[in-house]
Amino acid sequence: MNDDDYKLPNPSAAGGSPAAELTVIGPEHAARRAGDPAHPLKVTWLVDGEKHTARFTQGFDLGRSAYCGIRFSDDGVSRMHTRLFVKAGAWHVADLDSGNGSMLDGLRITEAMLPEQSTLQLGDDGPRLWLEAEGAKSGASMDQIAEYYFGERADDQAGHKTLMFRRVYRRVERKQKRRYRGIIAGAVGLLMLSIGIGISQYLALQKTRELAMEIFYSMQTMQVQVARIDTLVRASGDVESRAAIGAQREEMRAMEARYDRFLDELGILGPDLSAEDRVILKVARMFGECELNMPDGFVREVKNYIAKWQTTDRLKNGLRSMHEQNLTATISTIMLENHLPPQFLYLALQESEFKARAIGPKTRFGIAKGIWQFIPSTARRYGLRTGPLVELRRHDPRDQRFDAIRATEAAALYLRDIYSKESQA
């Protein structure tokens, strides 16, 4: 399953292009990314020996997709390969978990700040682009460095509650199966007590955005810990402890309702908020986003994407394919059984449009197949048999990635594992 396929596309830019050619979408059409104003980024590349140049003032993507700011049709380039974006007034580059990687000045990168001049290559032998941040000063300022390393993405400054949760979890891991019930009840009780005390203290203090955000991320941390404990309970087969976990989940839902009331007091979910905006914020929270920490213009940008999707038949065709295969209820049920939002079914829409025989391009990680586009190693890790044609771009009825139900069960386990990571808290 490749994360580069999860990015929302820009259907308004759709259009084909022959092999070895690319379509440039100017700044007025490029996908807008949240970020501070920056100097223009000059991008230069060659196509069949012919020089091309474009300038951007806002973020954009590189890849094979028709929705990218600069589009390539090279088979070695992923649909959504690399992103260039503005952060803290400086240009940055990030690889979107592409099949063949991104190289900045010859070094493979995950994310990096662009120097004044640099060379970006998509894959070891892929297209090469020359980048120049016009008018920018050489080197990064101290403020940019501080923001980059110690801003919102820094997660190694664990607070007291987070450290306490980790100690409780390690204690649970060390115990034998016969002591699961007592330890799980004690750990979850301690977590609930800690969060409850924290909320009471916060509600008694002056209501500020910082305090509300602390409550939200404490809730997220607790959800991660409960998910981990639930995994241990499932492994142990302890029915009584599983029932206790269910009761704690009910309490978590009640706590979330109290958090909603707290947001109402802050005016975040007040009467002036439209029904559409309320739904957008609700869905964003389902996927772990805090209402108080969303970028400026987030709701407006979501509405722009909704309008763009309404101009194409992709959503309609994908949903029709899902209904024809009777997958709607099946996928939703499997997600709910794993305590995941049923809306995750739209990941399969983005991956494959629910095409039963969907096959991705060949990459260094293998060939992705099926409605969830599992690569071979991930498929086997989550219990799917890949079949004898695993290295060929051909349908294989013996490959369980083409079994929609089995693949969905594996996808739910994969997503559940992601949600049980500390980085989700």
Side-chain angles (χ1 to χ4, degrees):
M1 189 180 294
N2 292 327
D3 291 343
D4 55 9
D5 296 338
Y6 294 165
K7 309 302 180 293
L8 284 174
N10 182 350
S12 66
S17 63
E21 293 186 2
L22 38 91
T23 300
V24 179
I25 304 173
E28 69 276 16
H29 299 301
R32 289 174 169 81
R33 312 293 177 195
D36 299 325
H39 295 282
L41 180 67
K42 179 182 177 182
V43 184
T44 305
W45 68 96
L46 298 177
V47 177
D48 295 331
E50 182 179 354
K51 180 180 178 181
H52 296 261
T53 300
R55 288 175 173 83
F56 294 84
T57 58
Q58 294 182 338
F60 59 101
D61 294 340
L62 308 174
R64 289 189 294 109
S65 172
Y67 318 128
C68 291
I70 298 180
R71 179 188 177 194
F72 297 86
S73 57
D74 191 317
D75 288 340
V77 175
S78 296
R79 280 185 285 171
M80 306 290 282
H81 197 109
T82 307
R83 174 164 297 164
L84 290 137
F85 62 100
V86 180
K87 182 175 182 180
W91 282 95
H92 291 67
V93 59
D95 184 76
L96 301 178
D97 285 343
S98 62
N100 292 312
S102 301
M103 268 64 71
L104 182 65
D105 291 333
L107 299 176
R108 187 178 297 274
I109 55 98
T110 300
E111 180 178 333
M113 182 187 298
L114 290 181
E116 186 177 358
Q117 294 182 337
S118 58
T119 301
L120 176 65
Q121 186 167 358
L122 310 185
D124 294 324
D125 302 309
R128 180 175 297 177
L129 303 93
W130 291 265
L131 311 176
E132 179 181 355
E134 297 181 331
K137 298 179 180 179
S138 298
S141 69
M142 292 298 294
D143 288 342
Q144 291 172 344
I145 294 174
E147 171 63 21
Y148 184 75
Y149 288 104
F150 305 107
E152 293 178 355
R153 66 193 296 272
D155 57 3
D156 58 352
Q157 301 290 330
H160 173 72
K161 289 185 176 65
T162 300
L163 293 176
M164 179 181 64
F165 297 151
R166 292 173 181 171
R167 287 197 296 269
V168 171
Y169 173 63
R170 286 194 291 268
R171 180 184 176 190
V172 171
E173 281 191 313
R174 289 194 297 264
K175 299 303 179 180
Q176 299 296 326
K177 176 179 176 180
R178 59 187 177 82
R179 302 188 62 190
Y180 271 4
R181 282 194 294 270
I183 294 175
I184 291 170
V188 174
L190 181 59
L191 290 169
M192 296 299 298
L193 177 62
S194 176
I195 298 300
I197 293 174
I199 291 178
S200 298
Q201 292 174 339
Y202 286 138
L203 292 177
L205 296 172
Q206 180 182 8
K207 301 204 170 33
T208 65
R209 293 178 65 87
E210 291 77 11
L211 294 177
M213 289 171 60
E214 179 67 20
I215 291 174
F216 178 85
Y217 290 114
S218 294
M219 290 169 56
Q220 292 296 101
T221 300
M222 189 191 72
Q223 290 173 353
V224 168
Q225 300 300 325
V226 170
R228 287 181 170 181
I229 295 172
D230 186 47
T231 299
L232 292 176
V233 170
R234 290 189 179 208
S236 72
D238 194 326
V239 177
E240 293 184 18
S241 292
R242 184 174 297 180
I245 289 292
Q248 298 302 329
R249 290 189 185 279
E250 289 294 330
E251 179 60 26
M252 287 169 58
R253 281 189 279 271
M255 184 172 62
E256 185 174 9
R258 293 194 295 271
Y259 174 70
D260 282 334
R261 290 194 292 271
F262 184 53
L263 291 182
D264 284 334
E265 292 179 19
L266 291 174
I268 303 300
L269 302 176
D272 294 336
L273 191 68
S274 70
E276 183 180 14
D277 290 357
R278 191 179 294 270
V279 170
I280 290 173
L281 292 178
K282 179 180 179 180
V283 173
R285 192 204 292 186
M286 287 179 182
F287 293 101
E289 297 294 337
C290 177
E291 295 91 336
L292 299 171
N293 198 29
M294 293 179 184
D296 293 338
F298 172 82
V299 172
R300 182 177 63 252
E301 189 68 12
V302 171
K303 289 181 178 179
N304 288 340
Y305 275 115
I306 291 174
K308 291 170 184 176
W309 276 80
Q310 290 173 339
T311 65
T312 76
D313 291 331
R314 188 180 177 199
L315 177 62
K316 180 177 65 177
N317 294 337
L319 293 178
R320 181 171 59 245
S321 177
M322 178 177 66
H323 292 314
E324 288 174 351
Q325 298 176 71
N326 297 318
L327 293 176
T328 309
T330 300
I331 295 177
S332 298
T333 299
I334 292 173
M335 293 299 165
L336 288 171
E337 287 175 348
N338 285 273
H339 305 289
L340 295 168
Q343 287 80 4
F344 267 123
L345 67 85
Y346 289 104
L347 283 182
L349 172 69
Q350 173 64 15
E351 290 282 358
S352 66
E353 298 181 20
F354 294 103
K355 294 177 181 177
R357 297 192 174 192
I359 299 175
K362 188 172 184 178
T363 72
R364 60 193 174 103
F365 299 110
I367 301 172
K369 296 183 179 181
I371 66 170
W372 290 97
Q373 289 290 279
F374 273 107
I375 60 174
S377 60
T378 307
R380 288 190 287 265
R381 186 161 70 249
Y382 289 92
L384 296 178
R385 185 176 63 250
T386 54
L389 304 182
V390 64
E391 296 182 1
L392 300 178
R393 297 187 73 249
R394 290 172 51 188
H395 175 261
D396 183 358
R398 292 161 293 187
D399 192 325
Q400 292 181 336
R401 290 178 291 176
F402 292 110
D403 184 324
I405 295 178
R406 287 180 181 271
T408 298
E409 291 172 343
L413 294 176
Y414 175 80
L415 293 168
R416 182 184 174 85
D417 280 354
I418 293 176
Y419 261 56
S420 66
K421 298 284 192 297
E422 288 290 346
S423 59
Q424 297 298 315

